[in-house]
Amino acid sequence: MSGIYIHIPFCRKACHYCDFHFSTSLSLKSELLACIEKEIELQAGTIDNTKIETIYFGGGTPSLLSAIELESILNKISHRFSISTEAEITLEANPDDLDKAYLDELASIGFNRLSIGIQSFFDEDLQYMNRIHNSEESINCIRLVQESQFDNFSVDLIFGGHTTNDEHWNKNLEKASNLDIPHLSIYGLTVEPKTALNHFIKSGKYPPLDDLKFGRQFSYTQAYLSSMGYEQYEVSNYSKKNYRSKHNSAYWSEKQYLGIGPSGHSFVNGARFYNISNNAKYVEAIKNSQIPQKKEILSPTDLYNEYIMTRLRTIEGLRISRIHSFPIFLKKYFEYAKEALIESNELIQAEDQCYIPSDQRIFTDRITQSLFYVA
Ligand code: SF4
């Protein structure tokens, strides 16, 4: 199984916390979309003889493209790759872009899943994050989606921000659950370098983020969503039965994927490829039939660390038999390092599986790091 990710690097407004690659200038849009199609051609054959099971348009804001622009890219993918008839085809969308006509068009050109950046149902939080939409648009958009052909959709929500007090956060979850949203991606706000949020904290406009609030809201989310029938199948992802994201699950399962567009990255045949995060340079290189990317061949240790990092984020955890397929020094290191974690109930081993129990999932980063092999 393989997946294709298409990065659309444009947004209408810069959210204060965001460090993804995007530009708020649309001046290069037409040229860049033509280059994405050309990169699809250049990449054809990279993952030979495998069915594409998932296609994901992320960004940036892919929903600022017209259905005609999106269809043209989808057509190019289907001409150059073999797409499974059951493929999950997702579009990331901002609420203000979705209306009935656009939703109908998206369904008719082949999209069968939406991932909607709601972030909060409170205007105070949305203004703090510098989101382009308001709370009324959030609710209206979800109702429109539910009346459309999309029964498979996800909503992003962000906790831990300065304006997101416990009352807001609990109500956000209640609203999401009452609206019967089948999949929720729940992210804790982080402060990334080169973001406006980082500048605001450095300049004293805001205090540092509150770790205790972060922990409280994370734990409340787990308890509340579990009581409402959601499964936390990955640290940041909750789904109702049969609504797990296939695309993201492939990232956590050592599956190969292609990332196309500026800042896209790929994992093919044990190597990682990183496309340049610069729209103008990307366009210039692709026009010359060069893919502007860096290649990193992953060593067995890199692959081991990555396996630990991705699999322990999931509810199933890792497979001991897979660990045993790594070179003996890594297998021995794992056997040694896991003992203390099992002793302290931070890790559970059950036959071939090893996973982080629900009450320890907030510490996933620390637990996985203690299993990393560092030469
Ligand atoms: S819309 Fe998404 S990609 Fe664009 S700035 Fe906001 S968070 Fe970042």
Side-chain angles (χ1 to χ4, degrees):
M1 169 183 160
S2 302
I4 292 181
Y5 171 85
I6 305 285
H7 190 82
I8 304 298
F10 300 106
C11 293
R12 292 202 177 87
K13 196 173 173 188
C15 302
H16 283 161
Y17 56 88
C18 180
D19 75 337
F20 294 136
H21 169 64
F22 67 91
S23 164
T24 49
S25 160
L26 304 190
S27 60
L28 276 180
K29 188 170 77 113
S30 310
E31 273 186 280
L32 196 134
L33 295 183
C35 287
I36 283 179
E37 292 192 20
K38 186 161 176 192
E39 188 189 345
I40 291 167
E41 284 185 5
L42 294 170
Q43 297 269 22
T46 314
I47 41 179
D48 269 344
N49 300 325
T50 48
K51 284 260 179 216
I52 300 298
E53 298 282 349
T54 64
I55 300 173
Y56 192 102
F57 283 65
T61 309
S63 58
L64 60 70
L65 301 190
S66 69
I68 290 173
E69 289 167 328
L70 292 165
E71 186 178 28
S72 179
I73 298 173
L74 279 174
N75 284 342
K76 184 64 74 177
I77 296 173
S78 62
H79 287 145
R80 296 292 168 174
F81 294 89
S82 168
I83 314 290
S84 160
T85 49
E86 303 290 303
E88 176 189 271
I89 305 179
T90 305
L91 182 84
E92 269 182 10
N94 273 352
D96 52 302
D97 289 328
L98 298 178
D99 60 26
K100 185 179 176 327
Y102 188 54
L103 286 166
D104 289 346
E105 287 175 330
L106 292 175
S108 75
I109 63 175
F111 286 96
N112 52 28
R113 186 171 183 273
L114 297 171
S115 173
I116 310 167
I118 298 283
Q119 317 310 355
S120 174
F121 293 104
F122 288 90
D123 284 331
E124 190 188 358
D125 298 338
L126 294 169
Q127 282 156 17
Y128 156 82
M129 295 183 213
N130 207 35
R131 296 290 303 182
I132 202 166
H133 65 282
N134 60 35
S135 58
E136 197 186 334
E137 285 171 313
S138 300
I139 301 272
N140 290 343
C141 137
I142 290 170
R143 297 225 162 96
L144 267 181
V145 169
Q146 285 171 323
E147 286 161 11
S148 77
Q149 296 172 62
F150 288 93
D151 71 320
N152 188 1
F153 69 99
S154 177
V155 156
D156 289 358
L157 293 172
I158 296 181
F159 67 90
H162 291 94
T163 55
T164 311
N165 57 36
D166 290 351
E167 194 193 340
H168 277 196
W169 181 244
N170 298 356
K171 287 217 165 103
N172 271 334
L173 294 176
E174 214 173 283
K175 273 210 166 83
S177 169
N178 289 343
L179 285 164
D180 203 20
I181 295 166
H183 184 283
L184 293 165
S185 292
I186 309 272
Y187 300 108
L189 189 69
T190 54
V191 184
E192 305 298 337
K194 298 188 189 155
T195 59
L197 180 60
N198 185 48
H199 171 72
F200 294 150
I201 292 175
K202 288 256 154 55
S203 65
K205 179 175 176 185
Y206 295 129
L209 290 176
D210 178 346
D211 289 344
L212 290 177
K213 181 166 84 175
F214 187 102
R216 261 193 331 270
Q217 295 185 351
F218 181 94
S219 301
Y220 182 81
T221 304
Q222 287 186 303
Y224 180 77
L225 291 182
S226 159
S227 74
M228 301 312 288
Y230 288 89
E231 177 185 57
Q232 187 186 18
Y233 69 102
E234 195 266 352
V235 177
S236 305
N237 286 283
Y238 294 80
S239 81
K240 291 276 177 78
K241 198 164 188 277
N242 298 328
Y243 283 99
R244 287 187 183 196
S245 157
K246 285 190 205 163
H247 187 79
N248 287 345
S249 299
Y251 287 151
W252 308 319
S253 310
E254 301 183 281
K255 303 284 189 326
Q256 53 180 358
Y257 55 85
L258 280 182
I260 287 170
S263 84
H265 62 269
S266 309
F267 177 59
V268 180
N269 296 331
R272 252 186 217 305
F273 300 83
Y274 301 90
N275 283 9
I276 195 166
S277 297
N278 180 302
N279 290 357
K281 288 184 180 164
Y282 172 81
V283 166
E284 193 187 324
I286 295 284
K287 278 184 173 169
N288 290 321
S289 301
Q290 304 288 324
I291 303 173
Q293 59 183 195
K294 282 193 186 136
K295 178 178 182 180
E296 180 191 12
I297 296 186
L298 300 179
S299 68
T301 301
D302 295 332
L303 290 168
Y304 161 88
N305 286 341
E306 203 151 302
Y307 182 70
I308 299 277
M309 182 176 72
T310 50
R311 289 307 308 168
L312 283 181
R313 291 183 65 84
T314 67
I315 191 172
E316 287 84 12
L318 55 81
R319 282 186 303 113
I320 302 285
S321 51
R322 172 68 180 113
I323 294 286
H324 286 187
S325 72
F326 287 105
I328 188 116
F329 71 97
L330 293 170
K331 172 186 154 183
K332 281 193 167 167
Y333 178 74
F334 176 79
E335 292 297 334
Y336 157 78
K338 79 172 188 201
E339 283 312 317
L341 295 170
I342 289 175
E343 185 77 14
S344 55
N345 295 321
E346 291 163 286
L347 204 58
I348 305 277
Q349 184 170 344
E351 298 183 354
D352 196 34
Q353 302 294 119
C354 221
Y355 61 90
I356 298 175
S358 173
D359 65 341
Q360 298 295 318
R361 231 168 260 154
I362 189 169
F363 304 119
T364 295
D365 287 348
R366 176 176 56 71
I367 294 169
T368 52
Q369 274 165 28
S370 66
L371 290 164
F372 287 170
Y373 184 87
V374 184

